[in-house]
């Protein structure tokens, strides 16, 4: 019996912790909804429209086959899913809109990459808060620059030269985040990286990561730029995606 008491206490503590985490997520989503609703007047009409459309389709199809009562709960579930999906997408768009142009925004977006990506922020930079971030993934090595184009061009060239010495045959890509010709918009950065071809294996990723770690950083004295205005909502985005 004595041995069972700690187990019961641990299980109870785990349940309480899980319950508290669930409550915190619900509060976070509700706060995000309230914030988005105030800034986005079309949010509720879009969510309501998606919900009613899903329910109407389910009932309509069910009425044709005489099973609308059976399909009604399915329509409600699909409607809720569609409404939550619209909410998540509009929150994400709002976050990226606020972050666009802010120092550190590209690094923040890279930190939100899903999948097997190894991100090292600020491998090169200037005191003007221009920065080059290094990403290692299945495509190879990707250098992502943010800041004034005339300054980051030189940073990219120098960093690419450094990496080429130890990268061997590993492909090296470079990306400049911005809204000018030849640049990748912040909101499209993740999608751009995901579309790159897969050139190396996970094992090769680990090998190149170890080699590049020895190079160190040329931006040790780079001041940390202010986080984007929407960065505090990162966990909200992840929560919405999970639900």
């Amino acid at each position: 019996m004595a041995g069972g008491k700690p187990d019961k206490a641990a299980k109870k503590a785990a349940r309480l912790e899980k319950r508290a985490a669930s409550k915190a997520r619900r509060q976070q989503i509700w706060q995000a909804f309230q914030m988005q609703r105030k800034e986005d007047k079309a949010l509720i009409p879009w969510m309501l429209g998606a919900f009613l459309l899903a329910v109407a389709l389910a009932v309509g199809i069910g009425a044709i086959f005489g099973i609308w009562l059976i399909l009604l709960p399915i329509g409600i579930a699909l409607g809720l899913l569609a409404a939550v999906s619209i909410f998540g997408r509009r929150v994400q768009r709002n976050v990226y809109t606020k972050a666009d142009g802010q120092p550190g925004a590209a690094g923040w977006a890279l930190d939100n990459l899903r999948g097997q990506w190894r991100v090292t922020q600020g491998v090169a930079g200037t005191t003007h808060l221009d920065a080059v971030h290094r990403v290692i993934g299945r495509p190879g090595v990707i250098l992502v620059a943010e800041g004034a184009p005339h300054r980051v061009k030189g940073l990219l060239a120098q960093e690419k030269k450094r990496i080429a010495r130890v990268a061997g045959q590993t492909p090296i890509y470079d990306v400049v985040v911005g809204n000018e010709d030849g640049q990748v918009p912040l909101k499209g950065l993740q999608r751009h990286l995901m579309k790159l071809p897969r050139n190396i294996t996970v094992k090769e990723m680990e090998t190149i990561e170890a080699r590049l770690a020895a190079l160190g950083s040329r931006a040790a004295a780079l001041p940390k730029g202010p986080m984007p205005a929407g960065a505090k909502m990162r966990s909200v985005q992840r929560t919405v995606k999970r639900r």
Side-chain angles (χ1 to χ4, degrees):
M1 293 295 292
K5 288 182 179 178
D7 290 339
K8 289 183 178 180
K11 288 180 180 179
K12 184 178 180 181
R15 283 199 303 270
L16 290 174
E17 185 178 349
K18 185 177 180 181
R19 193 178 303 167
S22 179
K23 183 179 179 181
R25 284 196 297 270
R26 289 196 300 270
Q27 290 176 342
Q28 198 171 50
I29 291 175
W30 177 248
Q31 290 171 1
F33 174 76
Q34 292 295 336
M35 290 173 60
Q36 184 69 18
R37 180 178 62 83
K38 291 177 182 177
E39 298 180 10
D40 184 1
K41 300 302 181 184
L43 175 64
I44 292 179
W46 271 103
M47 290 179 67
L48 185 60
F51 174 78
L52 293 176
L53 179 61
V55 173
L57 285 173
V59 172
I61 294 172
I64 294 174
F65 296 98
I67 55 171
W68 71 271
L69 281 174
I70 297 175
L71 292 185
L72 179 60
I74 298 175
I76 292 173
L78 290 176
L80 289 172
L81 182 63
V84 170
S85 177
I86 287 174
F87 166 61
R89 287 179 179 276
R90 294 181 81 88
V91 166
Q92 187 177 46
R93 187 179 67 179
N94 190 32
V95 168
Y96 276 96
T97 298
K98 290 182 177 180
D100 195 17
Q102 296 288 333
W108 162 75
L110 292 173
D111 269 349
N112 283 279
L113 277 170
R114 291 179 292 174
Q116 295 178 319
W117 300 91
R118 318 291 168 80
V119 178
T120 304
Q121 291 199 31
V123 293
T126 71
T127 55
H128 296 284
L129 300 181
D130 309 298
V132 174
H133 312 293
R134 185 177 66 222
V135 182
I136 301 173
R138 293 294 300 277
V141 180
I142 307 107
L143 298 175
V144 179
E146 58 178 325
H150 65 281
R151 289 195 296 261
V152 298
K153 185 177 180 180
L155 285 175
L156 276 173
Q158 293 172 28
E159 192 59 27
K160 201 168 185 177
K161 188 176 180 180
R162 289 177 76 226
I163 291 175
R165 296 188 187 122
V166 299
Q169 299 300 312
T170 304
I172 304 173
Y173 299 87
D174 58 80
V175 176
V176 178
V177 176
N179 297 308
E180 299 179 8
D181 290 340
Q183 299 180 343
V184 176
L186 179 66
K187 64 182 180 180
L189 177 59
Q190 294 185 6
R191 185 168 60 253
H192 179 82
L193 267 59
M194 294 290 186
K195 287 184 177 180
L196 292 176
R198 295 187 173 190
N199 300 309
I200 63 175
T201 65
V202 175
K203 187 174 181 180
E204 289 172 325
M205 283 173 54
E206 294 172 354
T207 301
I208 193 66
E209 184 180 22
R211 290 180 186 174
L212 294 180
L215 287 179
S217 170
R218 295 188 297 120
L222 180 67
K224 295 291 184 181
M227 289 300 290
K232 61 184 179 181
M233 295 181 70
R234 173 172 48 188
S235 58
V236 174
Q237 288 177 267
R238 290 176 176 169
T239 301
V240 170
K241 288 176 183 176
R242 287 198 297 264
R243 290 182 68 87

